[in-house]
Amino acid sequence: MRGMFTAGVLDVMMENGITYDGIIGVSAGAAFGCNYKSKQIGRAIRYNMKYCNDKRFAGIGSLIKTGNIFNTEFAYGDVPLKYDVFDFDTYQSNPLDFYVVCTDIETGEAVYHNYGGKDDHGFDWIRASASMPLVSQIVEIEGRKLLDGGAADSIPIKQFEEMGYERNVVVLTQPAGYQKKPNSLMPMIRLKYRKYPKLIETMENRHIVYNQTLAYIEQQEKQGKLYVIRPKESLQVGKVEKNPDKLKKVYDMGRETATLQMEQIKEYLGARTGE
């Protein structure tokens, strides 16, 4: 739920008419970022505040009953299809390419998928990208077994550059100077995913790859080749946050950060504003 910071940043960008050729989102970045392509300002914070404390949405009860801490039927079914409807028509008519990142647990490698919308396996690609290991069921799509994209590529800036995107804005949810530590849950991960040694290897090395990517981002940022938006301090919010006020506080931090930097963002992007 640190992704609420990202949601705040994205809403301010939309309000300022900033457009992109492509966006790539990982985990919460996929779940919240898709609203940029559907042009639904405020949707991410709205439904998360409304349902974060709803037992149907997420929690230990859902994990015990279904194997998913975020309830698939409610969070990826009822909410976007009935209660806070996702605008598939706008999403699918918007020329912006929206990529989601998942981890193939058999190969341990990242899967980068240009998500097409309703006819592209519904919300399964988004759900797979945000399916945290240990507390989520494996999502199977087109013969692949998938989990959280953050395991293989948490910040896919190098991939996006290789795909041809030359002027990129990176939204991070950790402050400057942050370094990821080795995963303390690796003993449980090794046990649960013992049939998938490549996934285990990927997760053992995740902090190394993550910190190397941060170093690359810092270098590119200093050279003016990237624009980076990050919080000034650590975000005090849980991965499955039940307090709507905490979610709103983190969201507002994202809004404030983007608002203060808006002129610099526009200058960096040049004329890429408006329709």
Side-chain angles (χ1 to χ4, degrees), residues 128-157:
S129 182
S131 289
M132 296 180 288
L134 296 179
V135 293
S136 306
Q137 296 276 24
I138 296 165
V139 180
E140 295 194 29
I141 305 175
E142 298 176 358
R144 287 182 165 135
K145 297 180 179 179
L146 305 170
L147 280 175
D148 194 331
D153 196 352
S154 296
I155 316 170
I157 180 59

Side-chain angles (χ1 to χ4, degrees), residues 24 60 84 108 242 248 272:
I24 190 165
I60 298 299
D84 201 319
K242 293 293 187 179
K248 184 62 162 55
R272 291 203 57 78

Side-chain angles (χ1 to χ4, degrees), residues 38-259:
S38 67
K39 302 182 180 182
Q40 290 178 278
I41 298 171
R43 180 174 177 271
I45 184 61
R46 184 173 61 238
Y47 77 76
N48 275 284
M49 284 187 68
K50 184 172 182 178
Y51 296 111
C52 67
N53 206 25
D54 191 318
K55 293 180 180 179
R56 296 172 297 172
F57 187 69
I60 298 299
S62 175
L63 179 61
I64 293 171
K65 291 179 182 178
T66 71
N68 291 296
I69 199 160
F70 283 93
N71 187 280
T72 298
E73 184 176 340
F74 189 79
Y76 293 97
D78 291 344
V79 171
L81 297 179
K82 297 179 183 178
Y83 301 133
D84 201 319
V85 177
F86 184 74
D87 189 346
F88 275 115
D89 290 338
T90 298
Y91 181 95
Q92 289 164 190
S93 64
N94 188 340
L96 181 155
D97 287 322
F98 185 78
Y99 294 86
V100 300
V101 185
C102 306
T103 298
D104 185 319
I105 67 171
E106 294 181 314
T107 66
E109 297 178 353
V111 175
Y112 308 96
H113 179 73
N114 190 349
Y115 174 57
K118 190 172 185 179
D119 294 332
D120 189 7
H121 300 277
F123 284 107
D124 284 354
W125 282 106
I126 303 291
R127 180 166 63 91
S129 182
S131 289
M132 296 180 288
L134 296 179
V135 293
S136 306
Q137 296 276 24
I138 296 165
V139 180
E140 295 194 29
I141 305 175
E142 298 176 358
R144 287 182 165 135
K145 297 180 179 179
L146 305 170
L147 280 175
D148 194 331
D153 196 352
S154 296
I155 316 170
I157 180 59
K158 291 184 180 180
Q159 173 66 24
F160 225 41
E161 289 174 342
E162 289 176 7
M163 291 166 65
Y165 293 93
E166 298 175 345
R167 187 169 292 271
N168 295 296
V169 176
V170 180
V171 184
L172 302 176
T173 59
Q174 296 285 6
Y178 172 80
Q179 289 284 283
K180 185 173 285 296
K181 298 178 180 179
N183 193 334
S184 61
L185 298 176
M186 279 310 303
M188 295 176 64
I189 290 170
R190 291 189 192 98
L191 179 62
K192 181 166 183 175
Y193 301 108
R194 57 191 178 277
K195 295 181 180 179
Y196 306 103
K198 293 293 186 180
L199 174 66
I200 293 172
E201 181 181 350
T202 294
M203 297 198 69
E204 286 175 336
N205 294 323
R206 183 190 177 198
H207 66 289
I208 298 172
V209 174
Y210 187 102
N211 293 335
Q212 288 173 342
T213 304
L214 288 179
Y216 174 78
I217 287 171
E218 184 177 350
Q219 178 190 51
Q220 296 296 94
E221 182 184 19
K222 288 179 179 178
Q223 295 177 3
K225 297 179 180 179
L226 283 179
Y227 192 93
V228 183
I229 301 171
R230 54 169 72 83
K232 292 182 179 179
E233 58 191 44
S234 296
L235 303 175
Q236 303 303 309
V237 64
K239 288 185 177 181
V240 185
E241 183 59 60
K242 293 293 187 179
N243 186 334
D245 293 333
K246 287 186 177 181
L247 293 179
K248 184 62 162 55
K249 182 177 180 180
V250 171
Y251 171 80
D252 286 342
M253 288 175 65
R255 287 193 60 90
E256 180 182 6
T257 301
T259 300

